[in-house]
Amino acid sequence: MHRTRLYIDGRFTPPIGGGHFPAIDPATEHPFAEVAAGQAEDIDRAVRAARLAFDSGDWPGLDARARSATLRRIAEGIRARLRDIALLEVRDNGKPLPEAEWDVGDAAFCFDYYAGLAEQQAAQPPETVDLGDARFEGRIHREPVGVIGAITPWNFPLLMAVWKVAPALAAGCTIVLKPSELCSLSCEVLAEIIDAAGVPPGVFNLVTGTGPEAGQPLADHPLVDKLAFTGSVATGRKVMQAASAGIRTLSLELGGKSPFVVFDDCDIDKAVEWIMFGIFWNKGEVCSATSRVLVQRGIYDRLLDRLRAAAEAIEIGPGETPGVKLGPLVSKGQYDKVRAAIDAGRRTTARLITGGGRPEGFDAGYYLTPTIFADVPTDAGIWREEIFGPVLCVNPFDTEQEALALANDSPYGLAAAVMSDDPDRCERVAARLRAGIVWINCSQPTFTQLPWGGYKTSGIGRELGRTGFDACFETKQITRFDHKAHWGWYLDAPE
C-alpha cells in the first residue's frame, strides 16, 4: 500500500510525527493508500522554507520568462501523466474517469495560461503617472505578495490546487499547499512534477494532513503573507479570523446554492441537458452547482417529466467503468450528510420526484441515486442550504420579477444561470442576478481565462483569469524627485 510523503524545501520527507491515515476508495469503502499526517511542526518547516526561498532565493527576482519556462515544463509533466493522475483521482474521489481526465487537462492548461501572463507582464514597463509637477516622477510597480498559504478542497483535488499554485508561481511567490485530507494523492504527484521541472527548493511545499492538525497551523502562521482558501463557509470563517489576527491578505472561495432560471420560450431538451450538467456533474459535489432550478409555469410539468426520465437514465457505478456518469460520493461523512438532507426534505411538503436512496445492486460504496424535489418550500433547508451532492430542487414561477426575487433570495452569491431564447431577456436577467458567475443558456462551463468567485457569503476575492494573477501581487508606488531640482520648504534656495 502506497504511503505518501510531504514535500518540503525541495525534498520528499515523512512527517515529523511519522503518522499516516488511510485513503478510502469511495466505490469500495476500502483503504488503498496511506496519507502522511502532517502536523504543526511540519507546517512550520514548510513555511520557513517558503519564507527563506522568497526572502533570499532567486525565484521572486527571476526573469519572468525563465519562470514561465518552468511553468510550461510543469504543464508538460502533467500531460505526460494525465491518465495515471486521472485514474488516481477516480479512486481517491469517486468521479467518473472522463471528468477526471478533463480536470487534469485543465490543470495543465492553467500552468500554460499563467506562464503566458507572466511573459506579458515581463514585456510591460512599470506604469508611470503624470503628477502635474515636472520635478517628480511617479511609478506604479507590482511585486509578488510573498509566502502564500493555500488550503484546497476535495471535490477537484488537483485542479483546485493548481488554481492557487500556478498563478502564485507565475507571479514569483512561494507557496505552502495543504490539500483536503479526503483527497490528497494527486497533489503528491503534482509535487513530483514540480520537483522534476526544476522549481527551486522552498518555492513549492506540500503538507498533507487534517484541518485541525495542519490547516489551522498554516492559517495561524505569522510568516505567511497571504491565505487562499477554498471550502465551506464554516471553515472559511476560521481562516478569515486567522487572517484578521495577523492583518494578512486573504482570498476565500466558499459555498453556493446557485439558481438556474428557465423561461418557457426555451427548448426543453436543451434546458434538461444543462440542468443535468449543472447538478449531476462531479456528483453534485461542486460549489457552483445550480441546485435551485426555477422554471416558468408554462413548461413546468413537461420539464419535470423530461428531467425525471433523464435522471433515472443516468448510469451509476465506479468511476473507471465506461459509460458511468455518476460515481460514488467522496466519503461516508459526505454520504451521511447528503442522506440527512434528503431525509429532511422528505419531511417537508416538497414532492420527491425521483431518487433519494441507494441504487439497486450497490451494497458497498457511497452511491446515491440522482434526486429531484419539486414544489419545495422556499424556507426549507434543502432549498436554502448547500447540500453538495446530486440533489436538485425545482420550483415554478410566473413572472421575470418573481424569478429574480426567488433567485436572489439566498445568503450565497457564487453562481447563477438563465435560459431563454430571448437574448435581451437573458442579458437583463444576468445583469440583475446577484452572483459573481452568471451563465446564459448553459451551466457550469469554467474557463481559466475568466475570474472565479462570488458575492455575499460565497467568498472574498477572485481566482482565475488576470484577476487571479493580480491577486498574487502587492502594489507599490515609487515617487522620485529630480536630484537637480530644489524643494526649498524648510531651507531657502541657494543663491
Side-chain angles (χ1 to χ4, degrees):
M1 188 176 291
H2 176 65
R3 304 187 92 196
T4 74
R5 299 162 294 170
L6 312 181
Y7 183 73
I8 298 174
D9 202 17
R11 293 183 310 231
F12 287 95
T13 177
I16 287 176
H20 288 74
F21 54 87
I24 306 296
D25 184 339
T28 65
E29 303 183 36
H30 294 150
F32 70 96
E34 293 184 342
V35 181
Q39 309 283 319
E41 296 85 354
D42 300 298
I43 289 291
D44 184 62
R45 282 195 298 152
V47 172
R48 290 185 183 278
R51 183 79 267 163
L52 183 63
F54 185 80
D55 292 341
S56 305
D58 295 332
W59 187 256
L62 193 65
D63 183 89
R65 288 176 288 269
R67 285 203 303 271
S68 295
T70 304
L71 265 66
R72 295 189 193 283
R73 288 196 296 274
I74 297 171
E76 287 306 308
I78 292 173
R79 291 191 183 98
R81 300 177 65 175
L82 189 150
R83 186 169 177 84
D84 289 342
I85 299 172
L87 285 167
L88 186 61
E89 291 217 335
V90 169
R91 200 167 187 194
D92 208 13
N93 171 275
K95 65 179 64 189
L97 179 58
E99 296 183 18
E101 291 177 327
W102 194 339
D103 295 346
V104 178
D106 277 355
F109 175 77
C110 194
F111 275 104
D112 277 336
Y113 173 75
Y114 283 108
L117 287 191
E119 290 168 343
Q120 289 177 26
Q121 179 174 314
Q124 297 174 351
E127 181 184 352
T128 60
V129 179
D130 183 358
L131 302 176
D133 186 328
R135 296 172 298 171
F136 291 94
E137 175 190 79
R139 302 194 308 271
I140 298 173
H141 291 249
R142 297 197 306 158
E143 298 178 349
V145 71
V147 176
I148 296 177
I151 303 172
T152 55
W154 46 259
N155 55 335
F156 295 92
L158 178 69
L159 185 58
M160 295 289 98
V162 167
W163 280 15
K164 292 173 172 51
V165 172
L169 296 186
C173 298
T174 60
I175 190 165
V176 177
L177 171 65
K178 206 300 282 185
S180 168
E181 58 268 33
L182 292 181
C183 294
S184 301
L185 299 180
S186 57
C187 287
E188 185 191 34
V189 179
L190 176 64
E192 294 172 359
I193 293 169
I194 286 175
D195 185 76
V199 173
V203 171
F204 170 83
N205 304 272
L206 171 69
V207 179
T208 55
T210 67
E213 294 180 339
Q216 192 65 50
L218 179 57
D220 290 336
H221 204 291
L223 297 183
V224 171
D225 296 302
K226 175 180 178 176
L227 290 170
F229 171 78
T230 298
S232 71
V233 173
T235 305
R237 287 194 179 98
K238 294 179 182 178
V239 174
M240 189 172 183
Q241 288 166 355
S244 68
I247 318 296
R248 287 172 290 169
T249 305
L250 175 72
S251 66
L252 299 174
E253 201 267 270
L254 307 177
K257 191 70 177 176
S258 302
F260 192 159
V261 179
V262 180
F263 287 93
D264 61 9
D265 61 349
C266 71
D267 183 295
I268 289 181
D269 288 336
K270 290 179 181 178
V272 168
E273 173 68 22
W274 283 112
I275 291 168
M276 298 271 287
F277 192 77
I279 186 58
F280 299 133
W281 173 263
N282 203 52
K283 307 161 289 173
E285 295 171 338
V286 180
C287 55
S288 59
T290 38
S291 55
R292 291 187 298 137
V293 173
L294 295 156
V295 182
Q296 200 160 25
R297 200 174 300 274
I299 59 170
Y300 184 66
D301 291 334
R302 283 184 293 151
L303 188 142
L304 278 176
D305 288 342
R306 304 261 188 103
L307 197 56
R308 178 180 61 242
E312 291 173 352
I314 292 176
E315 187 166 346
I316 302 171
E320 67 271 17
T321 303
V324 161
K325 291 291 197 298
L326 193 72
L329 300 188
V330 70
S331 68
K332 185 179 188 302
Q334 186 63 19
Y335 179 77
D336 290 344
K337 175 188 171 186
V338 176
R339 288 297 301 266
I342 292 171
D343 290 343
R346 290 177 188 269
R347 293 192 292 271
T348 72
T349 58
R351 290 189 292 139
L352 180 62
I353 300 297
T354 189
R358 178 180 286 275
E360 293 183 7
F362 291 92
D363 297 326
Y366 308 124
Y367 292 100
L368 185 66
T369 50
T371 302
I372 302 173
F373 285 97
D375 303 332
V376 183
T378 56
D379 60 352
I382 55 170
W383 182 259
R384 300 198 64 80
E385 298 166 11
E386 185 175 43
I387 297 173
F388 224 65
V391 181
L392 180 68
C393 294
V394 189
N395 269 334
F397 71 88
D398 292 301
T399 68
E400 183 177 311
Q401 291 301 110
E402 180 189 5
L404 282 164
L406 289 167
N408 288 331
D409 181 20
S410 172
Y412 298 105
L414 181 56
V418 56
M419 177 165 277
S420 171
D421 282 350
D422 182 342
D424 292 337
R425 170 187 274 166
C426 286
E427 294 295 337
R428 188 169 62 242
V429 171
R432 294 187 60 192
L433 286 167
R434 295 284 296 162
I437 303 150
V438 177
W439 294 292
I440 293 176
N441 290 329
C442 58
S443 177
Q444 302 309 310
T446 302
F447 297 93
T448 303
Q449 303 94 321
L450 295 172
W452 183 274
Y455 295 6
K456 298 186 274 189
T457 59
S458 287
I460 297 172
R462 295 293 184 272
E463 294 185 312
L464 296 185
R466 181 169 290 277
T467 307
F469 186 54
D470 291 343
C472 295
F473 290 90
E474 292 280 16
T475 301
K476 174 186 285 185
Q477 64 125 313
I478 295 179
T479 303
R480 177 173 181 162
F481 185 70
D482 185 348
H483 69 284
K484 295 180 181 179
H486 184 70
W487 184 234
W489 185 264
Y490 292 105
L491 302 176
D492 291 337
E495 294 182 1

